[in-house]
Amino acid sequence: MTGICEGRVAIVTGAGRGLGREHALELARQGAKVVVNDLSTTLDGVVEASSPAHEVVELIRAAGGEAIANGADVADFEQAGAMVRQAIETFGRLDILVNNAGFVRDRMLVNTSEEEWDAVIRVHLKGHFAPLRHASEYWRNEAKAGRTPDARVINTSSGAGLQGSVGQASYSAAKAGIAGLTLVAAHELARYGVRVNAIAPAARTRMTEGAFAQAMAAPESGFDAMHPANVSPIVAWLAGSTSGDVTGRVIEIEGGRICIEEGWNHGPAHDAGERWDAVSAGSAIEELLARSATPEPVYGAAPVPVAAS
């Protein structure tokens, strides 16, 4: 296998199914050696007996690529570290980390339990932090040893985190946190030769089969805009050496559409030069809101289908 990731070593978390599976297969097609991570859980986070990661590994090997399976819980700090070490010990290096693992426990905010909130935040947000922390330490040590990496991190946010999604408070909060983590990591790791970006994909996965089944359904003919494989070429490009001038970006992907998110940019402002009183502050805010862009989506509108990862 040859391609834009030829000779590079990648970890893809949550790679047994859905988006992660397609990312692992595409990276392998582009020449990467892949650690296929999957804890193998049900949609609500219950660990299953068998892992689909081995099937993905066999598909890669059958096509002439190199891959190994990994069953780490990526939100467990020690297991995440062992996963990074496995990649380095098996393939001699690590160049790419694709953070993708996650699950949902959709509830309206007033019905969300503490356990549900903690579980979703843990697997998405801590499940991004822990592998990133260990991979970053490896890349920093390489840079200090005079072997500056040409490394890539691709995190997975979501439209739910960027614009909000009704009934997904915990998921939206986690995905917004991932976007923020991406910006910080891009700044901090640039000195070590690491580029950090995030995607916000819309695709048909186990997490969208329930709430958004109709909107995500495959068409009888023509382009299947919601197929998860539509997202993976963008991941592969971000993972390759030619994307070295791209970092700190969040890229939304839906079907054949790519959109660069612009996030929390500074909008209209007014500085009084002194402390505001409540009445005048209210008048100033109303005037600034009248000059600012309307949020997406318009609050109170019907929920919009969002990516799941």
Side-chain angles (χ1 to χ4, degrees):
M1 290 184 173
T2 59
I4 61 174
C5 296
E6 179 66 24
R8 293 167 74 74
V9 176
I11 293 172
V12 183
T13 70
R17 301 182 179 91
L19 284 163
R21 178 183 188 274
E22 299 300 334
H23 298 343
L25 294 173
E26 178 64 20
L27 286 168
R29 278 192 290 268
Q30 295 296 338
K33 302 170 185 178
V34 186
V35 177
V36 181
N37 163 265
D38 201 281
L39 180 59
S40 185
T41 63
T42 62
L43 188 58
D44 59 359
V46 178
V47 178
E48 298 174 316
S50 60
S51 172
H54 295 285
E55 177 187 346
V56 178
V57 168
E58 289 308 311
L59 287 172
I60 291 172
R61 290 176 176 173
E66 295 184 54
I68 56 170
N70 174 276
D73 173 0
V74 294
D76 181 291
F77 195 75
E78 296 303 321
Q79 290 186 44
M83 177 181 66
V84 170
R85 289 193 298 275
Q86 181 189 21
I88 298 164
E89 291 167 2
T90 302
F91 296 123
R93 57 188 296 150
L94 177 64
D95 305 287
I96 303 158
L97 172 62
V98 180
N99 282 316
N100 169 78
F103 62 80
V104 293
R105 293 187 180 178
D106 291 348
R107 295 284 189 276
M108 299 300 284
L109 181 60
V110 296
N111 293 325
T112 301
S113 71
E114 181 181 15
E115 183 276 334
E116 289 166 336
W117 176 273
D118 289 346
V120 173
I121 297 297
R122 177 185 182 276
V123 73
H124 286 282
L125 193 50
K126 188 176 179 183
H128 271 61
F129 160 72
L132 177 57
R133 163 64 175 78
H134 290 289
S136 298
E137 182 177 11
Y138 164 71
W139 288 322
R140 181 187 64 181
N141 291 341
E142 286 292 286
K144 287 185 175 181
R147 299 183 296 271
T148 302
D150 182 27
R152 304 287 183 270
V153 177
I154 299 97
N155 292 329
T156 307
S157 186
S158 168
L162 303 173
Q163 287 92 33
S165 179
V166 174
Q168 294 188 311
S170 57
Y171 179 77
S172 296
K175 290 302 191 183
I178 289 167
L181 175 63
T182 299
L183 301 181
V184 174
H187 282 289
E188 292 188 0
L189 301 182
R191 71 190 72 177
Y192 307 127
V194 184
R195 304 294 178 258
V196 186
N197 296 285
I199 58 169
R204 185 172 56 253
T205 71
R206 289 191 300 169
M207 283 188 273
T208 62
E209 287 175 347
F212 308 117
Q214 185 173 356
M216 294 282 182
E220 293 183 4
S221 62
F223 178 46
D224 183 359
M226 291 297 107
H227 196 290
N230 298 332
V231 178
S232 301
I234 289 81
V235 171
W237 183 80
L238 288 170
S241 294
T242 57
S243 63
D245 59 347
V246 181
T247 197
R249 295 289 190 167
V250 179
I251 302 174
E252 190 175 29
I253 310 156
E254 179 176 346
R257 178 178 179 270
I258 300 172
C259 177
I260 306 300
E261 298 296 304
E262 295 188 340
W264 291 101
N265 293 319
H266 293 297
H270 180 67
D271 186 352
E274 59 185 6
R275 181 182 299 169
W276 292 93
D277 65 72
V279 174
S280 59
S283 298
I285 291 170
E286 288 177 346
E287 188 272 330
L288 292 172
L289 288 172
R291 293 196 281 129
S292 67
T294 302
E296 297 180 42
V298 176
Y299 294 104
V304 178
V306 297
S309 57

